[in-house]
C-alpha cells in the first residue's frame, strides 16, 4: 500500500475505509506498476533518508528489513542494493501479485499493518514508505505499535508521508473509479506518535514539494528497549 501521492476518500456502499483502500489498490495494481516501477520519482533527499535507514540497520546485528506496505515491491531492489535483506507485506493482494512477479525470490505476504503475520523481533528494521498515510489516529498508533512489536530492540524505523494536517480526498486514484482517504501529518507530530508507540525518534525531516502539492515528511526512529 505504498501510495506515494494519489489517495482520497470514497463512499462505496457498506465497505469500511480499509476495505475501500484494499479494493482501490487491487484495481490500480497494473497501472500503478507501470507508473511507479522503481524509485524514479523519489528526490535526492528521499533517497538520502533511505540510505541513512539502511546504514543504521547495517550497524545493528540483524539486517533483515520489512518493507511494510510494500505495494508492487518497487523499494526491494533499492534495499537489496544497499545491503539489507528485505521482505514485504501489503494490504492489497493485487499489489502483492505485482511484487511477486517483480521479485519472485522475496517473501511477500498480505496483511494489515496493524495485524502482521510475524513473530516478535523478527526484523532489524522496518520501512513504511508512504504506507501509513491511510491510518489516522488511533489506528496510526496501532500500526506503529505493531511495527515496533516485529522489530528487535534497537532496530530502525523509517517512514515517509505527506506533511500537513487533516484528511484529503482524491477521486479516481491511479486512474481507477475508486476513492479513499489519506491523512497528512507534520513530521514532529508523527514522531511524537511514534514515541508513544515503542520508538525513540532520532530524526524528523521536511522537504519542500517538488512535483507534488504537499511537503514530504520523514521520521527516522529506533526501537525502544
Amino acid at each position: 500500500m505504498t501510495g506515494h501521492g494519489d489517495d482520497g476518500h470514497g463512499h462505496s456502499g457498506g465497505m469500511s475505509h480499509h476495505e475501500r483502500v484494499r479494493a482501490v489498490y487491487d484495481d490500480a495494481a497494473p497501472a500503478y506498476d507501470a507508473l511507479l516501477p522503481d524509485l524514479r520519482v523519489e528526490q535526492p533527499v528521499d533517497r538520502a533518508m533511505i540510505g541513512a535507514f539502511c546504514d543504521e540497520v547495517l550497524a545493528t546485528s540483524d539486517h533483515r528489513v520489512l518493507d511494510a506496505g510494500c505495494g508492487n515491491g518497487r523499494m526491494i531492489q533499492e534495499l537489496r542494493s544497499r545491503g539489507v535483506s528485505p521482505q514485504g507485506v501489503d494490504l492489497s493482494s493485487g499489489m502483492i501479485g505485482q511484487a511477486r512477479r517483480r521479485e519472485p525470490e522475496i517473501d511477500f505476504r498480505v496483511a494489515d499493518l496493524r495485524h502482521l503475520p510475524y513473530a516478535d523481533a523478527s526484523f532489524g528494521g522496518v520501512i513504511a514508505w508512504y504506507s501509513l498515510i491511510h491510518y489516522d489516529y488511533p489506528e496510526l498508533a496501532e500500526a506503529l505499535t505493531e511495527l515496533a512489536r516485529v522489530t528487535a530492540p534497537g532496530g530502525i524505523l523509517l517512514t515517509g508521508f505527506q506533511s500537513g494536517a487533516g484528511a484529503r480526498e482524491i477521486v479516481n486514484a491511479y486512474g481507477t473509479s475508486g476513492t479513499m482517504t489519506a491523512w497528512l501529518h507534520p513530521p514532529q507530530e508523527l514522531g511524537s506518535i511514534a514515541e508513544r508507540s515503542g520508538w525513540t525518534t532520532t530524526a524528523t525531516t521536511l522537504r519542500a514539494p517538488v512535483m507534488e502539492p504537499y511537503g514530504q515528511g520523514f521520521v527516522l526512529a529506533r526501537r525502544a528497549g
Side-chain angles (χ1 to χ4, degrees):
M1 205 164 63
T2 178
H4 199 277
D6 282 315
D7 317 291
H9 184 65
H11 301 282
S12 302
M15 297 178 72
S16 72
H17 163 60
H18 289 287
E19 287 171 339
R20 285 194 298 271
V21 170
R22 180 188 292 112
V24 169
Y25 280 113
D26 283 348
D27 289 347
Y32 184 104
D33 192 58
L35 179 68
L36 295 170
D38 49 33
L39 299 187
R40 64 186 61 183
V41 301
E42 268 68 20
Q43 297 299 308
V45 169
D46 310 349
R47 291 176 176 271
M49 292 303 296
I50 296 167
F53 164 76
C54 291
D55 287 348
E56 291 207 25
V57 171
L58 291 173
T60 73
S61 60
D62 188 346
H63 299 168
R64 293 172 297 174
V65 164
L66 179 63
D67 186 355
C70 64
N72 64 334
R74 68 190 188 94
M75 179 71 72
I76 296 297
Q77 185 176 0
E78 180 77 9
L79 294 173
R80 295 176 74 181
S81 74
R82 292 180 179 274
V84 299
S85 301
Q87 299 180 34
V89 64
D90 199 274
L91 181 66
S92 164
S93 59
M95 293 292 265
I96 288 295
Q98 297 291 335
R100 286 172 174 156
R101 281 188 285 274
R102 179 177 298 281
E103 302 282 354
E105 71 283 11
I106 298 295
D107 181 353
F108 290 108
R109 304 186 192 183
V110 178
D112 189 307
L113 299 189
R114 297 169 298 170
H115 308 286
L116 293 171
Y118 306 103
D120 295 357
S122 290
F123 300 97
V126 60
I127 183 167
W129 198 244
Y130 295 87
S131 55
L132 295 175
I133 61 175
H134 299 296
Y135 297 94
D136 194 16
Y137 195 86
E139 290 182 341
L140 178 58
E142 293 172 11
L144 284 164
T145 299
E146 180 70 345
L147 294 179
R149 181 187 67 78
V150 302
T151 304
I156 310 301
L157 166 73
L158 173 64
T159 183
F161 49 95
Q162 290 89 17
S163 181
R168 62 195 184 93
E169 179 175 345
I170 295 180
V171 181
N172 304 128
Y174 300 107
T176 72
S177 60
T179 54
M180 54 188 173
T181 304
W183 285 272
L184 299 91
H185 300 277
Q188 289 186 330
E189 176 188 90
L190 199 148
S192 294
I193 297 171
E195 290 270 354
R196 299 194 295 271
S197 304
W199 301 95
T200 300
T201 301
T202 57
T204 56
T205 302
L206 174 66
R207 76 157 171 83
V210 177
M211 297 182 294
E212 58 275 295
Y214 304 99
Q216 305 298 300
F218 309 96
V219 169
L220 192 66
R222 186 176 298 274
R223 175 71 169 92

